[in-house]
Every structure is written in structure tokens, then in C-alpha cells.
Amino acid sequence: MEYDSLKDELLSIADTSLKYATSLDSSAEFEVFLFFNSETHAEISQGVVKAKDGITLGNAVRAAKGKRVGFACASGIAIERVKLSVTEALGIVNSIKVEDERFQGFSDPSPPGKDGVFAEEILEIDTDFLLKSSEAMIAEAKSVDERAKIISGEASASWGGYAVANSRGVLQGSVFGDNGCVVQVQAIEGEERRGAFEFDVARDRVYKADGLGRMAAEEAVSLLGAKKLDITSKMRTLWTHIPAALYVLSSLGQSVLGQPVVEGRSPLNDKIGEAIAKSDLTIVDNGQKPIGLGTHAVDQEGHPQRKNPIIEKGVLKGFLFNTYYARAFGVESTGNCARGGGAFQSSNPYESSPGVVTKWLEISAGTKSEEDIISEVDDKAVLIKGFPLGIFHTNVSTGEFSIVAGEAFLVEKGEVKYPIQPVSIAGNFYEGFKNLTGISSELRPLPWGIENPMFAFDGFSVTG
Amino acid sequence: MFDKLQQSVDAAEKFGADFVEARYDDLTLRTLQRTDDIWKDIQIKSRMGVAITSYVEGVSGFSFSASSDTKDILIAAEKSVKMAKASAAVASLKLPFEGRDPVTSKKSDTKSVKKHPRDFDLAYKTDLVNRSVETAREFGDSIRNIRGLYGELYGPKYLVNSDGSRIEWNFLVTDLRCLVTSMTPSGDMVNGSEGKGGTYGLEIFDAKDTTPESIGEAAGSRAKEQLKAKACPAGKFRAMIENRLTGVLAHESFGHLSEADFIVTGGSPLTDKIGVGLGTEHATIIDGGKIDIEKYGGLWLPYDDQGTPTSKTTVLDNGTLRHYLHDRGTATKLGQDPTGNSRAVNFVFPPICRMTNTYFAPGDLTEDEALELLGTGVYAIQSSGGQVQGDGSFLFKAIRGYWVDKGEMQYPIREVSLSGNILELLSKVEGGTKELKISSGYFGGCGKGDQYPLPTGLGGPKLVIDGVTFGGEAGA
């Protein structure tokens, strides 16, 4: 299949499959989902090279009779594989008595939104190009400092599409594609090993690998010579873009989703209209931002994607839903259905039943520069970078978290002093939003579907 | 299917591959999920496809096809060779390996069970979930949410390679879990959970300690106990680690460091450390695919995804590093025996160095003796997972625990994180209990790169460790 004709071809198979399903049992409601993703990936790690190229193909079918719902999926999109899913899904509905009391039918048809932009040069990227970029990033990182010793570079390009058809008249699809590269560096001195990474990812242009190796190597080397913090107390913590993004994704990014809201596990359930954060925090989930990695004309059950406010000036404005949870909550879908994960997508999304995810979180910029936020520290604070350990092993219901920040620096009297050995930071995510003391004016888009500033919080416990 | 796979091996060799592996999976997965009174998911999945890895000068290229048509398989074979050739041109570290005697599988390579899930209808399985949820529900008005989960994954795996090996065996894992969330009077949410999973027939859920009722009761009573649990104080304490958490420590923090792809690149701190003492005499870590599941639990894996028979590998032997976990190329490079640790999460991915069942070997203490040895500190129980970094730093969550004073359990504590560096921790292991328990399952699994979730087994005895950093509220 070619990119230009992919959507039409998927829609045609979906339509044919739906007709087949209806011919088997006209008393049942059906939904057919088809997925196609062509990916080329290459990586070099200390001279070891690995390359992979293939097309992921799969289909998923839901059948429903009243409140009885069955889901079946199969690898492949050949008509006999879709028929297998139809038969299995219908078999579930016909063979069991258990019901899903919340189920109120599949998505109704609505006019689609727009797909995100896509640079067609990405279609031309091949294994050789990816390998060359990886080599270049590694060479750049090596040139920074001889202590930057363990270096890996990887790059990938992918394009694909999906289509949804259901008995209510939905017949919609989306095409997409992106490319990216990442370099990881471990700096080693004696027994001390410190790691850092840099990346670029985009759908509207070919990725830019230049400079990434140097930045990652400089970062890893700057972490060497870490001293012990030797403090256990409540203190200010400064979360740079990556940990700040993960903070939002693992807290609000989960608790505003339809599932925990409807199931009563979200602590935000009854807080619409209430101030839940400092008044300078505004968060929107934008499923229609042209360069957003989660932007599609329709979500993965065929509902149009859109822009949804979550927090406006500190006040909770709304939750995110797919059709299932929206109807259970008595509202309309917000176009946030996806299969198999949001921020960290599954390689086989057709294997997952429709869930709710954020599409592209936009967090408003603050008024202070990062330098201002650092210079405002009167006494001591800890500045963290990178991917904190345990950030996603937190409890959405309680908001309590305890993480270990491996990339950390001591800030004292307005200056970054020196790297410190890993520190544990504990507290409550939701209390943190109320104790925000700084939001930087610089935003950074990140590959996990979010664009955000740096945050400063008071009141978390730091154990060095 | 053997013939189609052989055709692809022959074709890839003709295109210029030095060595070829062709795999075919035809796996069926079923997931049942009930939340309170709602049947959220009843799913059936068919995962069928062909994966081809070609090697040129010890460098691999990989492709796959969700179609089992000969034409599509041959296209994948050609692609894999092209990529191997492109990669070989830039690789500075190559991992060639010699051919070896062909392996032919036997019927006994497939674990036989009394009640295979393919022979039981959905109603039988929804009943298992219902029984666990209904039992958990009996544990009080504070319960806010109960989830019951059942999962099964089974089906044939085939492999043909340039050695002439022809391997066919059937994978099997079943799993039943119950998770309860309750609310304290002050509005805090607390959790209790229990489950049983691994290479079992459904007869496992007839056994006394693992009936759906036992699982529901354990989850419900634990959530109830958590209502009065206190926050664990933050700081460094002596600790006793329960079996499942010991397994997480063995797998996540040490096992990954011993995977030989991290060793050949120097990415692991265990590089060049064979024969070096890293821990106390009480720290022995083993990985193996063929274990006594009836006795210990776990996952049955007779071959890896390169067709190497799995073995029992003592990675850490009474504190001394002895062996790494290999694929064919790394074993040759490092001059060690092959271990059968090259695994792929499904046909869309190439096999990479992964664990099978990884566990600390048991010690000689009774549980009372272990508590006495602990003295004062934290007894940390179960785990909701964790994360590690390449230098051995780890953070794990214990779901619950007890504060222990002078060998006596005092009061329950809430979910708490444990952190540290495994290489420091191994030198503080003071002893283990006599019983070995290995857990596995359908839900969750191991992640490496983008290959997730791979079923593995993990476990050990209860371990007593001097000095573990616990998170929690400072000064509490």
C-alpha cells in the first residue's frame, strides 16, 4: 500500500468487513478497526548495529447485543483475518450472559477534524539514512569528552493509517507519520557512571540530529563528581522540561481520563469548577494541533478529535472521554479514544480495546525565565533533569509519589552549585499543583504528547 | 509451516545471509476484566505471523510479516538480508557465531496440564473472576473499587534455522488477579491485591491456596488492613523483603545488568566482572527456563527464540559473578556457554537478550529466624513494579509492609518505595529463608526497549538486607 491511497484502501476493507459482519447477524451492532504502520528502525550501540523494517498490520472487531460486548482482534488485515475477528467477537456475545452495564453503543457519525501535517520526505527515509544519523550523533558525542564512553544512537521513520467502520454509519480514517532520533550517553569516571539522553522527533520535517550528541555528552559529563546531598527535609524542587512533563502525564494526565473519573478512582471527580492549582496554570489537550504527534482527523473509534480545556487559570474545567465513558458520565465524547496507550504507544494498538488518552497536552508558559526561577532560590533547592525512576509507578487515586532523580543538582543561593548523587523526592502530585512557585516562560515539545515549561514546587520531601 | 519457514531460510541464504532464523507464532490470547459489576473487557486475540532474522558477518537484520503467504514471507526474508548487509557495512563490533548441531523438539517440550484453557468455555473463566470479586466484596464498606482479571496466552511456536533445527512447542500462561481499592475515613485511597499466574492449567484455581475465593479474600483483607496502616518513615533501615519483591530485585535490578548485550557494549557495570565478588555468600541469583513449576511456580520455556534450549544459569554464585545471559552471538564473543536467553515479545520483534525465570536461591532460615535477624526495620511485601537505570540504580514499590521492632511485627505500613543501587545492596544481604516461590503471569511483564510485555518468572526466598532506603514522608 502507498501513503496516498492508504486511507481509501483501509476504508474499503473496513466497509466490506462491516457488511460481512452485519450479514452474519443483523441483530448485533459491529465496529471494525484496521491498522497499518510501516516502520524502519536502526540503532548503533558501541559498534553493534541492529536494523528492522516491517509493516504492522492488524484488525479489531467489537460486536454488541444490548449490553453484551465482545472484542476480538487478529494480526493482518486480509479479509479472512478480519472475518476471524468478526466470528470470534460475535461468538463472545452469543456465548456469554455477562453484561457491561455502562455500554451504550458505539460512536455516532460526526464530521471529521483534520489530520496533522506530514512531511512526505519522511517516506524516503531508509535504513542507510538512519544508520548515518546514528553514526553522526555518536561521533559528535565522542568528541566532547573522553569520559563520554558508552554511547548509542538510534533513529526511526514510520508512516501509516487506520480506519473505523461501525453499524451506526461511521466510516472514517486517519493517516499519519513521524520520524525521530535519540542519542544516549553514559559518562564514566572510576566506578561512577552517569547517563543522559537527547532526542528530536517531528511529523512536519525530517528530524535534526545535529547537536544532539554534543548536548547529551555534555549533560552526562556534567553529572560526574556528584556529591552526597546528606539532607532529609522538605525543600524546593525545580523540575526541568522532561521531569515536569512526566509529572503532569503521571498525575493529571491520568486522573482527568474518563476511566478513573467514571470508576470513582480519580480524586478530581467532584472538583469541576474548583481551583486545583495555582492560578497561573492552564492546561489544554489539543487533538488538532497540526504538528502534535497525537493529532488525527478522527480518534480510534471514528469520533472527531478536538481541543479540550482541562485547567484554566488553576480551575478544573473538564475531563477527557471516549464514547463509552462519555455516555456513562452523561456527556459527549471529547475525541480522546485510542487503543493501546497514549504517551507510550503500543506497537500493536489493534490488540487493545478502545481506551481514553491525552492527545497533545499544551501547558501554558509562565512569565519567569529558567534563570529567574533558579536565582529566586534563597536557601537550598534540588534541580532535576532526565527521566526520574518510579515516576509512572505512582498511585493515581492518591496522587502520592516517591521517585528517585538520578540527574540532580544542588541549587544554593540562586546558583546551580554541583551535581548530587541520586535523591528521592516524595509528596503528593495534586498538592504540588497548589504549591507551584514557578512556571518557566520557555516551552519544549516532547515526544510523549506534551509541550510544557519547567516547574518549581515547594513542600516535597527530599531524601539525599 | 516448517516447509514455509525452511523456504524462507533457503531464500535468505541465497540472498547472501550467513545464517538465518525463521519463526512462526500462532498464539491465542484471552483477557477478561471485571470492574465492580461491569464487565469491561472480554477479548480474544489471534497473534499470527512470521519473523525472520538474517545474519551477515555476525550482524543481524530483521523483518516480519503478519501474513503467512509464501510470497510475503519471502519478501520479509529478502528485506532482512538487505538490512543485515547495510548494517554490516557500518558495524564496528560484530558478533558472529558458529553453526551447531541441529535441534529437534520433542513432544515433552510442551508442558502438559490437566485443564488446558483452550478446552474450557468463556463462562468457566468469567466464573473464576466473579468468584474472586464477590469474595473480595465481603471486606467492608470502605471498598471503592474491585477489579477482577483473568488472562491466558497459548499456542504453537515454530522455529527453523540454518543449523537445520526444527522446533515446535506450545507456550502457555494463565493468570487470575484481584485488586481492591478502599478509602480511609480521611479520604486516602489504599490498595490490596493478590493473584496467581504462570504456566498452569486451570486446575491451579482448584488448589486450596489459589482458588478464586482465596485470591479475592487475600486482596480484600489486605485492602482492609491498609485502612489502618501508617506511612512508612523515610530513611535507611534494615529490611526483610518478601518473595515477590525479592524477585523484582533479582530481575529488574540485577538480571537486566547481566544481559550480555549490555556486556559486549560495556553498557553494564557488570562488564569484565566475571569472578569478582559483588555480594555476600547469601546472594545467589539464577536464571532458568525449565523449572519445577508444581513446586515453585513460574513460566515454562524450553527454548528461546533463536532455538537454543534454555538452561539453568547461575549468574551470581554466593556473591561472585559467574555468568551472563546470552544470545548466540554474545556467548561466542564472551567465550561462555549459550544460555537460551534470546527472546522476542512477539513476531514483530527480533529476539534480544532477555530473562526467563530469575530468582534468588533460597537460604536456610525459617521466617521467625529471618524476623529475628531483621531485628528492627521494615518488612516490605509484594510489588507493583519498579524501574532501574544502567548503573544499577533502582526504585521499586512495595505494595504494603509492616514495621518490625526487635523481631516482632508492630503495625502495617502503606505502599512505599525502596531505592538504592543493586551493587551496594548485594553486599548487605544477610540471609534468606528456606522457601523458594516464583511468580509469573499474563498481566504486566518485562519491558526492554520497545518490547513489552514479555512474560517472565521472578522470585526467591524472603531476604534480610542491612540498609535499604525507603521513600515516604520525611520526618513522618
Side-chain angles (χ1 to χ4, degrees):
Chain A
M1 287 185 185
E2 302 297 322
Y3 183 79
D4 290 340
S5 59
L6 178 64
K7 189 149 109 181
D8 288 342
E9 290 183 61
L10 292 175
L11 287 170
S12 169
I13 302 169
D15 194 33
T16 306
S17 305
L18 184 67
K19 283 175 181 148
Y20 169 76
T22 311
S23 75
L24 286 187
D25 190 338
S26 58
S27 68
E29 189 179 352
F30 291 95
E31 176 196 69
V32 176
F33 174 76
L34 302 175
F35 180 81
F36 174 109
N37 188 50
S38 170
E39 182 176 13
T40 308
H41 179 268
E43 67 175 274
I44 305 177
S45 177
Q46 295 299 98
V48 175
V49 181
K50 285 183 180 164
K52 174 184 163 184
D53 185 358
I55 298 172
T56 302
L57 296 166
N59 71 82
V61 174
R62 286 197 289 171
K65 280 188 181 178
K67 303 266 181 200
R68 282 180 287 156
V69 188
F71 173 100
C73 67
S75 47
I77 57 171
I79 195 73
E80 72 272 14
R81 296 292 287 165
V82 190
K83 285 182 177 176
L84 172 70
S85 299
V86 169
T87 310
E88 292 281 12
L90 192 58
I92 293 173
V93 170
N94 286 333
S95 69
I96 54 160
K97 291 182 180 160
V98 294
E99 296 191 333
D100 182 344
E101 286 301 326
R102 289 198 185 109
F103 179 74
Q104 296 177 51
F106 301 128
S107 185
D108 285 316
S110 316
K114 286 186 177 172
D115 276 330
V117 292
F118 177 61
E120 298 214 358
E121 304 96 283
I122 293 171
L123 298 172
E124 308 302 319
I125 292 176
D126 61 10
T127 311
D128 286 335
F129 182 87
L130 300 174
L131 285 169
K132 277 183 186 138
S133 314
S134 302
E135 278 186 302
M137 289 189 294
I138 290 166
E140 206 182 61
K142 267 187 186 160
S143 68
V144 167
D145 190 302
E146 63 180 16
R147 291 171 295 174
K149 283 190 174 144
I150 311 291
I151 306 167
S152 67
E154 60 187 285
S156 64
S158 68
W159 60 274
Y162 56 78
V164 187
N166 74 27
S167 308
R168 296 184 173 218
V170 166
L171 182 61
Q172 295 290 348
S174 170
V175 283
F176 51 82
D178 59 48
N179 68 147
C181 59
V182 58
V183 55
Q184 302 193 54
V185 180
Q186 273 192 44
I188 301 177
E189 193 163 42
E191 289 297 309
E192 190 180 15
R193 283 173 179 251
R194 310 306 298 273
F197 66 97
E198 268 301 339
F199 56 84
D200 184 38
V201 60
R203 62 185 299 167
D204 59 325
R205 58 177 170 78
V206 174
Y207 61 76
K208 294 172 187 162
D210 288 355
L212 300 180
R214 175 182 52 75
M215 285 193 282
E218 285 174 355
E219 181 69 31
V221 169
S222 76
L223 289 160
L224 291 170
K227 297 178 186 173
K228 208 166 185 173
L229 180 64
D230 240 351
I231 295 173
T232 296
S233 78
K234 290 192 172 175
M235 62 198 292
R236 183 169 294 185
T237 50
L238 314 182
W239 299 55
T240 54
H241 291 94
I242 290 173
L246 299 170
Y247 185 108
V248 175
L249 287 168
S250 53
S251 55
L252 285 170
Q254 305 297 316
S255 55
V256 298
L257 302 180
Q259 182 171 358
V261 168
V262 168
E263 291 177 356
R265 290 186 291 114
S266 170
L268 304 178
N269 269 11
D270 49 1
K271 293 198 165 50
I272 292 280
E274 284 185 29
I276 63 162
K278 278 280 177 71
S279 61
D280 39 6
L281 186 73
T282 292
I283 301 180
V284 170
D285 183 57
N286 190 350
Q288 284 288 274
K289 186 176 177 107
I291 62 162
L293 297 177
T295 297
H296 299 281
V298 291
D299 67 11
Q300 293 191 333
E301 59 178 352
H303 194 280
Q305 290 199 182
R306 67 184 202 198
K307 190 172 180 177
N308 295 294
I310 295 175
I311 292 178
E312 200 172 297
K313 294 182 179 169
V315 175
L316 183 65
K317 288 292 179 186
F319 301 125
L320 304 175
F321 294 102
N322 61 7
T323 300
Y324 174 89
Y325 287 109
R327 288 179 180 158
F329 204 64
V331 296
E332 288 290 306
S333 168
T334 56
N336 284 84
C337 174
R339 300 169 190 246
F344 302 94
Q345 286 172 359
S346 155
S347 55
N348 298 324
Y350 61 87
E351 286 198 346
S352 301
S353 57
V356 189
V357 301
T358 55
K359 296 289 179 178
W360 183 262
L361 288 172
E362 294 175 332
I363 300 170
S364 59
T367 52
K368 299 172 187 171
S369 69
E370 290 175 19
E371 289 73 27
D372 289 344
I373 289 173
I374 291 167
S375 66
E376 278 177 6
V377 175
D378 292 332
D379 186 16
K380 287 188 173 77
V382 169
L383 178 139
I384 64 170
K385 297 183 176 180
F387 209 114
L389 282 180
I391 190 89
F392 277 101
H393 288 93
T394 50
N395 189 327
V396 177
S397 300
T398 65
E400 284 169 15
F401 72 89
S402 178
I403 55 137
V404 171
E407 293 179 47
F409 296 84
L410 178 70
V411 178
E412 201 168 20
K413 298 193 191 317
E415 284 179 24
V416 178
K417 291 290 183 188
Y418 49 79
I420 51 178
Q421 289 176 10
V423 290
S424 100
I425 301 174
N428 186 291
F429 283 131
Y430 304 108
E431 291 303 313
F433 284 115
K434 295 176 186 165
N435 295 325
L436 260 172
T437 58
I439 302 175
S440 77
S441 51
E442 300 93 343
L443 298 177
R444 185 177 181 193
L446 294 164
W448 312 298
I450 187 167
E451 182 171 13
N452 63 285
M454 167 184 176
F455 287 144
F457 298 99
D458 274 345
F460 292 149
S461 303
V462 176
T463 308
Chain B
M1 185 42 69
F2 276 137
D3 291 344
K4 282 189 181 180
L5 294 180
Q6 187 63 54
Q7 256 185 293
S8 67
V9 169
D10 295 342
E13 286 176 348
K14 260 188 202 157
F15 287 127
D18 303 333
F19 193 90
V20 186
E21 292 147 11
R23 300 184 275 132
Y24 171 75
D25 290 351
D26 185 4
L27 301 174
T28 299
L29 299 85
R30 280 191 179 77
T31 312
L32 315 180
Q33 183 180 169
R34 176 179 160 179
T35 300
D36 297 325
D37 290 330
I38 305 284
W39 275 96
K40 231 199 116 290
D41 266 327
I42 297 182
Q43 301 184 343
I44 298 177
K45 306 176 187 183
S46 165
R47 194 181 279 169
M48 187 181 83
V50 174
I52 299 172
T53 312
S54 291
Y55 299 83
V56 172
E57 299 169 24
V59 179
S60 66
F62 175 78
S63 191
F64 60 93
S65 169
S67 156
S68 52
D69 288 351
T70 304
K71 175 175 71 74
D72 295 323
I73 296 173
L74 293 179
I75 290 171
E78 185 177 2
K79 269 190 186 176
S80 69
V81 179
K82 275 186 183 166
M83 272 178 297
K85 285 180 175 173
S87 300
V90 296
S92 58
L93 177 55
K94 299 178 179 179
L95 301 169
F97 53 86
E98 296 294 320
R100 60 186 181 212
D101 293 340
V103 177
T104 305
S105 55
K106 310 177 290 292
K107 199 178 173 197
S108 60
D109 289 330
T110 294
K111 188 87 186 155
S112 68
V113 295
K114 288 180 188 152
K115 290 181 163 182
H116 197 286
R118 75 173 161 247
D119 302 327
F120 287 79
D121 62 16
L122 272 176
Y124 187 94
K125 295 156 191 172
T126 53
D127 184 55
L128 296 175
V129 177
N130 285 337
R131 285 158 58 197
S132 71
V133 170
E134 295 306 332
T135 308
R137 186 170 272 166
E138 291 166 15
F139 285 84
D141 298 333
S142 305
I143 293 174
R144 289 304 155 109
N145 183 260
I146 304 176
R147 287 173 70 206
L149 300 158
Y150 169 82
E152 65 188 33
L153 167 54
Y154 63 80
K157 288 169 71 76
Y158 295 80
L159 183 139
V160 170
N161 65 18
S162 296
D163 286 331
S165 295
R166 287 193 167 210
I167 294 168
E168 177 194 357
W169 65 283
N170 279 270
F171 188 89
L172 172 65
V173 59
T174 53
D175 200 346
L176 180 66
R177 297 192 186 192
C178 186
L179 304 106
V180 178
T181 302
S182 293
M183 188 188 269
T184 67
S186 58
D188 293 339
M189 299 288 195
V190 293
N191 300 307
S193 69
E194 179 59 329
K196 183 71 179 177
T199 302
Y200 293 113
L202 299 178
E203 65 270 19
I204 189 67
F205 306 117
D206 299 330
K208 185 171 161 277
D209 294 335
T210 50
T211 60
E213 288 77 11
S214 306
I215 289 169
E217 182 181 348
S221 61
R222 286 167 190 165
K224 189 173 182 180
E225 186 187 74
Q226 282 287 298
L227 293 170
K228 55 184 183 192
K230 298 178 185 175
C232 181
K236 203 169 241 192
F237 303 106
R238 288 177 64 74
M240 183 163 85
I241 311 288
E242 180 257 6
N243 311 73
R244 272 173 277 195
L245 194 49
T246 297
V248 174
L249 203 64
H251 173 106
E252 292 288 355
S253 61
F254 191 80
H256 281 299
L257 299 184
S258 69
E259 289 167 344
D261 48 348
F262 294 141
I263 303 295
V264 293
T265 58
S268 166
L270 301 186
T271 306
D272 298 329
K273 295 266 168 69
I274 290 292
V276 174
L278 300 172
T280 68
E281 59 178 317
H282 305 290
T284 292
I285 297 176
I286 295 164
D287 182 275
K290 287 176 283 205
I291 53 174
D292 188 342
I293 289 172
E294 282 72 26
K295 199 168 175 186
Y296 305 119
L299 190 69
W300 181 254
L301 292 164
Y303 300 97
D304 72 4
D305 289 315
Q306 285 187 310
T308 304
T310 56
S311 53
K312 182 177 174 181
T313 308
T314 302
V315 182
L316 191 71
D317 184 9
N318 296 117
T320 301
L321 186 69
R322 296 288 181 210
H323 220 285
Y324 301 122
L325 302 177
H326 289 293
D327 62 25
R328 291 181 74 155
T330 62
T332 304
K333 175 81 182 168
L334 297 172
Q336 292 197 322
D337 295 331
T339 58
N341 283 92
S342 190
R343 300 182 63 199
V345 69
N346 58 46
F347 72 88
V348 174
F349 292 97
I352 55 175
C353 294
R354 303 295 289 259
M355 285 165 268
T356 58
N357 295 281
T358 314
Y359 52 96
F360 274 90
D364 55 5
L365 300 172
T366 63
E367 190 165 325
D368 284 344
E369 288 167 345
L371 277 168
E372 197 177 317
L373 177 62
L374 169 65
T376 296
V378 178
Y379 175 23
I381 305 174
Q382 291 183 287
S383 176
S384 57
Q387 214 182 330
V388 292
Q389 284 178 341
D391 64 352
S393 301
F394 66 83
L395 182 140
F396 302 128
K397 291 276 182 183
I399 290 176
R400 60 197 183 94
Y402 295 92
W403 180 258
V404 178
D405 188 39
K406 295 176 188 153
E408 300 284 335
M409 287 198 272
Q410 300 295 312
Y411 55 84
I413 55 173
R414 294 245 179 109
E415 181 182 79
V416 64
S417 65
L418 293 74
S419 60
N421 186 294
I422 186 65
L423 300 179
E424 284 175 35
L425 206 70
L426 289 171
S427 61
K428 295 174 182 171
V429 177
E430 295 185 349
T433 53
K434 291 173 186 171
E435 91 289 6
L436 170 63
K437 288 184 185 172
I438 299 176
S439 336
S440 183
Y442 173 88
F443 298 102
C446 172
K448 182 174 176 181
D450 47 2
Q451 294 203 40
Y452 171 86
L454 181 75
T456 58
L458 48 84
K462 296 180 180 71
L463 283 185
V464 178
I465 302 174
D466 180 26
V468 175
T469 301
F470 286 85
E473 282 290 312

